[in-house]
């Protein structure tokens, strides 16, 4: 139990500094925000983000929120229209997450936003989160720091109970002030839409914009699984799963060392058969192969264990687009 005691630490300046170094080298850190504790990883490092999904034990890749220290850092990543600017001015730093189009060349890993062309960004209002974000200089992807299916943690002890053995540091700054997750607003289009109700009430959004902000259809029934609200990335090319050979004109998304003969393009998710590496490469490789406009994409079988479950979930959805 000595390890558990050492992982959870008071969020002193020195501990924050060490947490920032850990994040910079691809490790995971739990940190407080004003809403709930987040499980943080370098959002530009696909391997670190894959580790977040592995540690949470999520059976699917839901897009994650990217945390930045200020508006300037957010505008470097995403396009802000007038509505987004008004909402950011009214609520940042604070418990509002904005879903916005990624800029061209945006350095955030594809896995962070589950392959989507939009990005969820937030400037948290908690002094420890702010100091950590400034110390790393990196955008930090952070879902709530609980195992999949458990409630969001509002104390460092909750985080430790769920994840202590998987983290480098849990920065303890006591209970989180709000205790409720951020409100997620899609402001990527002309009309802002609430995707997830949270710590900022609808009425506050309406007042800030001077008009009612609708809540996405089916919100009530979907509250239990907020990740389902996001549209899913789907390639244009037809995916053929569990492929053991490659048809003429097909590109190949390979896994493992035993790659079948192929004539067109091939990318390997992980030549050594490492599921963490495969998860880290999944969206970027799919996107690359799709951009070549192949006659189809043959996808080799992926073992359905650990992160393989989330990989297969996403491949299945991509194989039968809505
Ligand atoms: O308060 C919070 O928001 C906490 C703290 C740590 O910041 N984080 C949190 O993250 O609750 P998470 O991963 O549990 O929830 C992220 C939410 C999900 O509902 C997800 O679907 C949505 O944000 N989301 C993220 N990226 C999106 C995107 N590109 N489009 C639509 N929804 C997105
Ligand atoms: Mg959550």
């Amino acid at each position: 139990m000595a390890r558990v005691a050492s992982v959870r630490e008071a969020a002193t300046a020195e501990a924050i500094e060490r947490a920032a170094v850990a994040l910079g080298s691809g490790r995971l850190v739990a940190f407080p925000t004003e809403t709930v504790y987040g499980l943080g990883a370098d959002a530009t490092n696909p391997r670190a983000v894959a580790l977040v999904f592995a540690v949470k034990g999520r059976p699917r890749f839901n897009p994650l929120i990217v945390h930045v220290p200020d508006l300037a850092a957010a505008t470097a990543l995403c396009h802000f229209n007038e509505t987004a600017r008004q909402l950011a001015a009214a609520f940042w730093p604070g418990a509002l997450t904005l879903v916005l189009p990624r800029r061209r060349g945006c350095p955030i890993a594809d896995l962070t936003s589950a392959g989507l062309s939009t990005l969820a960004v937030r400037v948290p209002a908690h002094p420890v989160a702010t100091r950590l974000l400034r110390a790393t200089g990196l955008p930090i992807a952070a879902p709530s720091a609980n195992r999949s299916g458990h409630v969001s943690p509002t104390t460092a002890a909750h985080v430790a109970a769920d994840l202590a053995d998987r983290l480098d540091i849990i920065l303890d700054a006591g209970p989180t002030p709000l205790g409720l997750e951020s409100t997620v607003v899609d402001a990527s289009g002309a009309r802002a839409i609430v995707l997830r109700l949270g710590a900022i009430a609808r009425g506050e959004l309406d007042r800030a914009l001077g008009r009612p902000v609708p809540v996405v259809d089916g919100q009530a029934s979907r509250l239990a699984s907020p990740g389902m609200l996001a549209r899913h990335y789907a390639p244009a090319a037809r995916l053929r799963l569990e492929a053991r050979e490659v048809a003429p004109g097909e590109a190949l998304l390979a896994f493992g060392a035993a790659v079948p003969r192929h004539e067109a393009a091939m990318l390997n998710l992980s030549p050594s058969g490492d599921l963490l590496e495969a998860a880290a490469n999944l969206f970027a490789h799919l996107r690359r192969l799709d951009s070549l406009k192949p006659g189809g994409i043959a996808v080799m079988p992926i073992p359905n264990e650990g992160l393989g479950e989330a990989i297969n979930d996403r491949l299945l959805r991509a194989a039968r687009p809505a």
Side-chain angles (χ1 to χ4, degrees):
M1 287 284 97
R3 168 129 177 91
V4 173
S6 67
V7 166
R8 186 175 143 202
E9 287 188 52
T12 60
E14 188 272 330
I16 292 172
E17 207 48 58
R18 255 186 300 120
V21 171
L23 286 167
S25 43
R27 298 201 296 276
L28 306 186
V29 166
F31 65 98
T33 78
E34 78 278 37
T35 60
V36 299
Y37 276 77
L39 173 58
D42 173 2
T44 67
N45 178 341
R47 244 191 118 83
V49 177
L51 205 52
V52 168
F53 288 104
V55 162
K56 275 190 74 93
R58 268 191 185 174
R60 24 178 79 111
F61 296 126
N62 298 329
L64 305 178
I65 296 170
V66 174
H67 298 70
V68 290
D70 50 38
L71 177 64
T75 54
L77 301 174
C78 307
H79 291 290
F80 280 66
N81 60 23
E82 190 45 39
T83 301
R85 261 191 286 276
Q86 282 177 295
L87 289 172
F91 298 106
W92 281 358
L96 178 73
T97 294
L98 291 173
V99 172
L100 300 170
R102 280 171 175 253
R103 279 190 188 284
R104 188 191 293 275
C106 171
I108 303 297
D110 284 317
L111 183 61
T112 303
S113 56
L116 297 172
S117 57
T118 53
L119 207 62
V121 283
R122 170 162 116 77
V123 176
H126 191 293
V128 172
T130 306
R131 257 178 258 149
L132 180 65
L133 292 168
R134 291 207 191 286
T136 61
L138 291 165
I140 298 300
S144 49
N146 53 282
R147 289 187 63 78
S148 180
H150 295 191
V151 295
S152 295
T154 56
T155 68
H158 294 166
V159 181
D162 253 19
L163 300 172
D165 54 336
R166 309 298 303 271
L167 302 180
D168 256 51
I169 304 182
I170 301 170
L171 291 173
D172 189 349
T176 56
L178 298 177
L180 193 61
E181 284 137 323
S182 64
T183 295
V184 180
V185 174
D186 183 345
S188 62
R191 262 166 42 105
I193 303 172
V194 179
L195 297 183
R196 177 178 79 180
L197 287 166
I200 289 172
R202 271 182 83 175
E204 297 178 69
L205 298 171
D206 297 352
R207 270 196 296 285
L209 291 183
R211 59 178 185 273
V213 181
V215 178
V216 74
D217 286 347
Q219 165 76 9
S221 62
R222 286 168 170 179
L223 273 175
S225 52
M228 298 304 288
L229 291 170
R231 259 174 280 116
H232 292 297
Y233 165 74
R238 193 170 175 77
L239 256 57
R240 192 166 60 80
L241 305 185
E242 307 279 334
R244 289 166 204 281
E245 77 300 313
V246 184
E250 271 186 336
L252 174 63
L253 186 63
F255 177 82
V259 177
R261 285 167 53 89
H262 53 279
E263 283 155 25
M266 186 276 285
L267 288 174
N268 200 326
L269 289 171
S270 172
S272 67
D274 172 7
L275 289 167
L276 190 79
E277 182 181 23
N281 285 329
L282 178 66
F283 290 102
H285 278 13
L286 270 176
R287 206 176 270 284
R288 275 266 297 288
L289 289 179
D290 200 30
S291 72
L292 303 172
K293 304 197 190 319
I297 301 176
V299 184
M300 287 177 68
I302 315 283
N304 205 40
E305 66 202 30
L307 276 176
E309 219 187 320
I311 295 172
N312 284 323
D313 168 77
R314 188 46 50 102
L315 286 169
L316 264 171
R317 291 158 190 266
R320 45 172 164 71

